[in-house]
Amino acid sequence: MRVLLVGAGGVGTAITRIAARRQFFEHMTVADYDLGRARSAVEALGEQGHRFAAARVDASDPAAVRAALAENRCDVLLNATDPRFVMPLFEAALAHGALYLDMAMSLSRPHPSRPYEECGVKLGDAQFARAAEWEAAGRLALVGMGVEPGLSDVFARYASDELFDEIEEIGIRDGADLVVEGYGFAPSFSIWTTIEECLNPPVVYEAERGWFTTAPFSEPEVFDFPEGIGPVECVNVEHEEVLLVPRWLKARRVTFKYGLGDEFIGVLRTLHKLGLDRTDPVRVSGGSGQVAVSPRDVVAACLPDPAGLGERMRGKTCAGTWVKGVKDGRPREVYLYHVVDNQWSMGEYGSQAVVWQTAINPVAALELMACGTWSGSGVLGPEAMPPRPFLDLLTEYGAPWGMREQ
């Protein structure tokens, strides 16, 4: 397997550090718009970097991406960029005949007149619209294969296969007790992506109603997270799992709730009120005249790079899937989860907990694809794959998961 990894930010760099310890691939080209960042990711591997090379590529240019795939003889494209670049990379992989894997899906657009009641363009709609072409080509696009979405979806499939006869609700619940010292506000993941998913109308699925939307930060609930994190208030947030799970699994309700905290929600609401969450450019006067800039890109540029916060970060992050239903005629609730301690991930890999937890899952998925355990054609989510081999491999990687009866 020869891999083109596009994106050498926090998650992309963590992917290289995890993959360098595994033998399933022949070569990985680490490509980024910033060649220096790609080179830094490779050079940091030291002696483990002999199967890696750095390259420059513009992720928004499908022709350039196809040229990089051809030049490096890659048969897989792993997308570690933000969701703006999903479609050009997805299309370049299809045109080249490569397999494709991402961790976030094509962007949504709210309903033009009823954004908090009806879905407009849903997350992943643009990708699923091309599913027949991928199937006809006999190629696999494995979408949403990070931690959330990704591992959370694998947990949902495992619960459906082995733990329940009937499922009432599948609810993704994400919480942490992470603290970043020295900053009043410092998100642990891409602020561009965080704004996108937190301020868009959250989607909920109900079997009798289908997909529908609600207001941002709706239906607050306190969820008790394991391994010392404790109670965290979680709210509805737009996320891919709600769009993926019902395509393959049977459940009466599917939700995604994220533990954001009042301060974080307040900052996001302020950004929205000021129009600083917008992606369309505005013209700003500068020393050399007017320039067009995206307000959201300015916000991202003013905040610290999440990949560089690890030394200042303390605490744990938890991603997991809560499932409620019936087994052998009796009610049952379980929480399947994965916890990462930032001190451990920094000490073991030099990557902060949130990006490392995201990165390990596509690497494990690639390994299962390389050995043929995970295969298929078309546009498939993690729910379409057998879960047990993935969960076993995750433990082999030194990242065990847990299950708690509720």
Side-chain angles (χ1 to χ4, degrees):
M1 174 180 279
R2 296 181 65 88
V3 181
L4 177 66
L5 168 64
V6 183
V11 173
T13 297
I15 284 172
T16 65
R17 295 172 181 178
I18 297 165
R21 303 188 184 189
R22 309 298 295 185
Q23 300 303 315
F24 67 87
F25 66 98
E26 177 187 347
H27 189 268
M28 182 177 290
T29 299
V30 183
D32 197 280
Y33 188 80
D34 181 345
L35 179 58
R37 190 159 69 166
R39 284 175 172 163
S40 294
V42 173
E43 290 168 0
L45 298 174
E47 294 181 359
Q48 290 185 319
H50 64 280
R51 291 179 293 157
F52 294 78
R56 185 188 181 279
V57 72
D58 181 351
S60 68
D61 183 349
V65 177
R66 287 180 65 186
L69 286 164
E71 180 182 348
N72 295 283
R73 298 180 289 115
C74 295
D75 46 11
V76 180
L77 191 160
L78 172 52
N79 176 3
T81 64
D82 74 52
R84 287 174 292 181
F85 304 108
V86 163
M87 288 312 295
L89 294 173
F90 178 83
E91 290 168 354
L94 176 61
H96 181 74
L99 305 180
Y100 172 85
L101 192 153
D102 65 29
M103 291 162 273
M105 298 178 66
S106 59
L107 292 171
S108 64
R109 289 199 307 275
H111 190 280
S113 60
R114 291 169 54 84
Y116 302 136
E117 294 85 19
E118 297 182 30
C119 294
V121 175
K122 302 187 297 300
L123 291 169
D125 275 358
Q127 289 172 285
F128 282 115
R130 306 288 298 276
E133 296 173 64
W134 281 86
E135 192 167 356
R139 297 292 179 182
L140 171 62
L142 181 59
V143 297
M145 193 56 244
V147 61
E148 291 172 342
L151 177 57
S152 51
D153 304 73
V154 174
F155 282 150
R157 172 66 186 269
Y158 174 72
S160 179
D161 283 0
E162 301 194 26
L163 304 179
F164 290 86
D165 299 322
E166 298 177 26
I167 294 177
E168 179 180 333
E169 182 168 351
I170 295 174
I172 316 307
R173 298 293 184 265
D174 181 302
D177 62 2
L178 293 168
V179 176
V180 181
E181 298 173 354
Y183 289 99
F185 182 74
S188 58
F189 203 70
S190 162
I191 187 61
W192 200 101
T193 303
T194 301
I195 289 173
E196 181 72 18
E197 62 189 25
C198 290
L199 292 179
N200 276 348
V203 180
V204 175
Y205 173 84
E206 292 179 357
E208 296 181 356
R209 187 174 174 183
W211 286 296
F212 62 94
T213 57
T214 181
F217 318 122
S218 59
E219 297 183 1
E221 68 174 60
V222 175
F223 192 85
D224 187 20
F225 289 91
E227 298 193 21
I229 296 174
V232 178
E233 185 177 79
C234 299
V235 294
N236 279 323
V237 168
E238 180 191 48
H239 232 252
E240 286 90 342
E241 291 95 327
V242 179
L243 288 311
L244 287 169
V245 167
R247 295 177 185 270
W248 284 278
L249 306 180
K250 188 175 181 181
R252 295 190 185 95
R253 195 167 196 260
V254 183
T255 57
F256 180 98
K257 292 189 179 183
Y258 194 8
L260 294 170
D262 291 341
E263 181 183 15
F264 202 106
I265 290 173
V267 170
L268 292 174
R269 283 178 167 153
T270 299
L271 291 174
H272 180 64
K273 285 180 181 179
L274 296 175
L276 295 174
D277 59 328
R278 293 167 51 191
T279 58
D280 49 308
V282 297
R283 300 199 68 80
V284 179
S285 297
S288 56
Q290 287 200 331
V291 294
V293 295
S294 158
R296 193 185 300 185
D297 287 343
V298 173
V299 172
C302 290
L303 290 171
D305 181 356
L309 295 175
E311 296 292 346
R312 294 175 173 264
M313 193 180 291
R314 300 290 181 270
K316 299 176 181 178
T317 185
C318 179
T321 304
W322 164 73
V323 187
K324 178 181 180 181
V326 175
K327 178 66 174 177
D328 297 328
R330 296 180 179 181
R332 189 180 195 187
E333 289 185 49
V334 302
Y335 183 57
L336 301 154
Y337 64 89
H338 186 254
V339 172
V340 179
D341 187 311
N342 186 74
Q343 186 175 359
W344 176 86
S345 65
M346 285 298 298
E348 183 71 15
Y349 285 90
S351 296
Q352 56 104 320
V354 176
V355 299
W356 186 89
Q357 188 183 48
T358 302
I360 191 171
N361 297 285
V363 178
L366 281 177
E367 183 159 346
L368 292 176
M369 292 164 66
C371 68
T373 303
W374 276 14
S375 62
S377 61
V379 178
L380 302 180
E383 299 86 351
M385 302 297 173
R388 175 57 77 173
F390 185 91
L391 296 176
D392 289 345
L393 188 57
L394 199 64
T395 300
E396 182 184 317
Y397 272 47
W401 56 282
M403 184 177 83
R404 181 182 68 190
E405 295 280 352
Q406 297 290 89

